[in-house]
Structure formats: structure tokens, C-alpha cells
Amino acid sequence: MYENIIFENSDGVATITLNRPQVYNALSTALIREITKAIESTTNDDSVRVIVITGVGDKAFCSGADLKAGMDGGLTSLGDSLRENYNPMILAIRNAEKPVVCRMNGIAAGAGMSLALACDMIVANKDAYMSELFVGIGLMPDAGSMYFLPRIVGMQRAFELCSTGRKVFMEEALTLGLVTKAVAYENLDETIAEVVEYYKKAPTKSIGLMKKVLNQTFSSSIEEILEYEAQNQEALGKTHDFAEGVMAFLQKRSPSFKGK
């Protein structure tokens, strides 16, 4: 079913592993489409409570676009490539009404950095780095980086990172808020497991609607956000998890959320 990723779906967790180690998990058209397809396959699967995106090995999460594959394939329009492949992948992650956690096992460069930033959380190998290296080939960051970066680090820092393409190592990435956690590679799976265990037991509908409203925050007025909050809170008030959360609070016990 998949040739460029390893897709595992079990025990509430859908894991997408980029599997092109020979090119440091660089993004080919086929790989991008498989990532998108895998994410979209979880949309109506209530058994999936959290999605993890990672890469094979300890060298690279994703080294960016596979330029050689693009040139060999006769790529003629960078804009069309973004519209048809990269943009649907990024939107699938942002529109997923479930938490998406990036297990950044190694470097994230170019569109690979964009892919990581599109996730809701990044748990990174502390020896990795991020880089918006597009400027090195005369391009600008794409696949969402121009949206995510200024929202995370501010306009001036975003300009600096985009226009220099310099490497941002994990100590600085933590300070800038580019990653959520940075741990030794040998502790990466343990840390991911802790994060995943939390979200597997969390109220998934609540978190999905949090993402939906957060996605609109910077393009909406305070009046619009207040109304979005009211609309979505109304919907959440009718869920199993709200009823369970209130009952657990009154009974002074931990809630047992079902994601429904």
C-alpha cells in the first residue's frame, strides 16, 4: 500500500515514518502523497487518538525536497508542485482534528523543517538542527514555513532565519520555541511514548476543536474568536467526554475519556 513510508496504526496511535534513508528522507512527490493519504486515512477513524510523524534512522527527519528526483521527473512548475503536493500535505496536518506530534529524529531542513513546524508538537533529537536552506538555491521558504515561522519566533527573527538559511541547533530552537522538547536520541522513544500516552487518554474532540480555532487566531478579530469559542464550546458540551469530565470532577476521580 505504501512504498515510501511505514504506516502503523495500533493502540490509538497512527505512526507515519518517512522511509527514504538513502536520501535522508527527502520529499519526493510519491512520499508527499503517501504522507497526505496516511493522515487523511485517520480522519474518520475514531480509534486514532494521536498521530506521530518521524523518519527512519538518527541522521535526518527530512532533508527537504528531493531536488534530483524533481529534475529527473521533468519538474517544470514549482508553484504547481506546491499547490498539488506540498500544500495538501501541510493542510492535512493542520486540519487533522487530532494532535500531530513530530518525532524529529534528525535534521529538518527546507521543506522538512516546514513539515516539522506544521505539527502540533516537536520532540527532537538534541543533536539535530533545523534550517530554512532555500536561500542557498535562490528560493524562498515554502510548504508553510512563511506562515509558521513569524507566528513562532516573530517577524525579524523569521526574516533572519529565512534569509540566511543558517542552522538552528536544538538549544537555540528550544529558546525560540521552534521545538517543544529536545532529548538525547536514546531517550527519544521514551519521551515520545510519554507524550503519546497523554494524548491517547485525552479528550480528542476537545483538542481537535482547539486546533481549529487556533488556526484562525491570527487572521480573526477578537469578536470572531469569541464567537468561534462559543460555537465550538456548544458542540463540546454535547460530547461524551464533557459529561465524563464533569462526573469525574464531582466524584473526585480521574476521567476516562473516549475521544467522543
Side-chain angles (χ1 to χ4, degrees):
M1 185 176 181
Y2 295 106
E3 297 181 357
N4 298 277
I5 65 171
I6 301 168
F7 183 59
E8 300 169 296
N9 184 354
S10 64
D11 193 26
V13 185
T15 303
I16 300 167
T17 305
L18 282 59
N19 191 26
R20 301 186 74 220
Q22 70 279 14
V23 289
Y24 298 103
N25 299 324
L27 293 164
S28 64
T29 296
L31 173 56
I32 294 167
R33 291 179 177 176
E34 289 186 10
I35 294 170
T36 306
K37 180 180 178 181
I39 294 170
E40 291 178 343
S41 75
T42 71
T43 300
N44 297 315
D45 187 346
D46 289 339
S47 70
V48 176
R49 307 285 292 278
V50 57
I51 301 167
V52 176
I53 302 179
T54 188
V56 297
D58 62 352
K59 300 297 183 184
F61 166 67
C62 178
S63 59
D66 189 336
L67 296 178
K68 185 177 187 302
M71 295 302 103
D72 290 347
L75 178 66
T76 57
S77 172
L78 295 178
D80 286 348
S81 178
L82 289 170
R83 295 184 189 99
E84 295 170 12
N85 300 305
Y86 288 86
N87 295 357
M89 174 182 67
I90 299 302
L91 288 173
I93 294 171
R94 293 311 313 155
N95 292 333
E97 293 190 0
K98 309 177 185 201
V100 181
V101 180
C102 175
R103 175 187 178 274
M104 205 181 95
N105 51 296
I107 65 170
M113 181 171 173
S114 301
L115 175 58
L117 293 178
C119 297
D120 300 305
M121 293 179 64
I122 302 175
V123 180
N125 173 357
K126 70 177 183 63
D127 295 324
Y129 65 83
M130 309 174 95
S131 171
E132 293 286 7
L133 47 66
F134 297 86
V135 70
I137 55 171
L139 293 178
M140 60 177 278
D142 57 29
S145 272
M146 301 295 282
Y147 176 88
F148 299 119
L149 265 181
R151 284 163 171 75
I152 297 170
V153 302
M155 192 65 72
Q156 290 188 5
R157 181 63 70 193
F159 173 79
E160 186 255 336
L161 294 179
C162 291
S163 62
T164 65
R166 69 175 177 84
K167 296 176 181 178
V168 181
F169 292 93
M170 289 305 98
E171 183 177 358
E172 182 183 8
L174 276 169
T175 300
L176 292 176
L178 288 169
V179 301
T180 313
K181 298 182 180 183
V183 299
Y185 181 77
E186 56 267 27
N187 297 328
L188 193 57
D189 285 336
E190 178 184 355
T191 306
I192 285 288
E194 292 172 355
V195 171
V196 163
E197 190 63 24
Y198 169 79
Y199 284 112
K200 279 168 51 178
K201 298 178 180 179
T204 312
K205 295 291 185 183
S206 170
I207 291 169
L209 291 183
M210 287 179 198
K211 283 184 63 172
K212 182 179 177 181
V213 177
L214 284 170
N215 282 341
Q216 301 176 80
T217 297
F218 289 97
S219 58
S220 303
S221 66
I222 179 62
E223 291 83 3
E224 288 170 328
I225 292 298
L226 288 170
E227 179 56 26
Y228 295 149
E229 290 175 344
Q231 292 173 6
N232 289 290
Q233 203 74 301
E234 177 73 16
L236 290 172
K238 299 174 182 177
T239 63
H240 166 278
D241 285 347
F242 172 66
E244 165 61 14
V246 172
M247 186 62 68
F249 176 80
L250 294 174
Q251 295 176 351
K252 299 181 180 180
R253 60 174 173 82
S254 297
S256 178
F257 294 126
K258 303 298 182 185
K260 299 179 181 179

